[in-house]
Amino acid sequence: MWISKKENIDMVRQIEVGLVEMDNQSSKLLQHVNTNLHHLAELMDNPFAYDSNKFRTEHQQIEDDLASFVKSFRKNRKAVFSITEHVIDAEEMVRRLNLIPK
């Protein structure tokens, strides 16, 4: 779809920035989960090799981060749908006025 209005282009760029941020947040969360899984395996192999209280603290932080990620993801998804709907409606109006050929 061709986007003719600058404001619509700016909105689409905002979507892109949000998606890049979500991708970075997802990568960091995945690294933390992998680290936590490794620590859990160490704790299972040798209960004295790793401090279980520290593991619980890490696990709680991952749960909090995951909840935050889900909230951000849902907010971002809602914004994507809202902006997409706005852009499609605005561009369709321009097409109907025959300013842009089909």
Side-chain angles (χ1 to χ4, degrees):
M1 174 173 70
W2 293 98
I3 299 176
S4 60
K5 291 183 173 182
K6 182 178 178 349
E7 69 182 47
N8 292 343
I9 292 171
D10 292 340
M11 287 181 181
V12 172
R13 283 195 180 125
Q14 288 175 352
I15 290 174
E16 181 183 13
V17 168
L19 291 175
V20 168
E21 288 174 5
M22 291 301 299
D23 186 45
N24 291 337
Q25 192 177 9
S26 171
S27 296
K28 288 178 185 177
L29 189 57
L30 185 59
Q31 288 175 348
H32 289 191
V33 168
N34 284 335
T35 300
N36 190 258
L37 184 60
H38 178 70
H39 291 160
L40 179 60
E42 287 178 356
L43 194 58
M44 288 171 53
D45 289 341
N46 184 359
F48 302 107
Y50 193 73
D51 184 13
S52 63
N53 289 329
K54 187 175 178 184
F55 171 77
R56 287 186 187 114
T57 303
E58 285 178 354
H59 190 76
Q60 182 61 47
Q61 183 62 46
I62 289 173
E63 285 183 23
D64 294 344
D65 291 346
L66 185 58
S68 174
F69 175 79
V70 169
K71 286 179 185 177
S72 296
F73 180 83
R74 288 177 179 162
K75 182 179 176 184
N76 196 339
R77 182 179 61 187
K78 187 175 180 179
V80 167
F81 285 124
S82 175
I83 291 171
T84 302
E85 183 178 31
H86 174 77
V87 169
I88 288 172
D89 290 345
E91 295 299 322
E92 184 63 28
M93 186 181 348
V94 171
R95 278 195 196 96
R96 286 186 182 188
L97 293 173
N98 293 322
L99 297 176
I100 297 178
K102 290 183 181 178

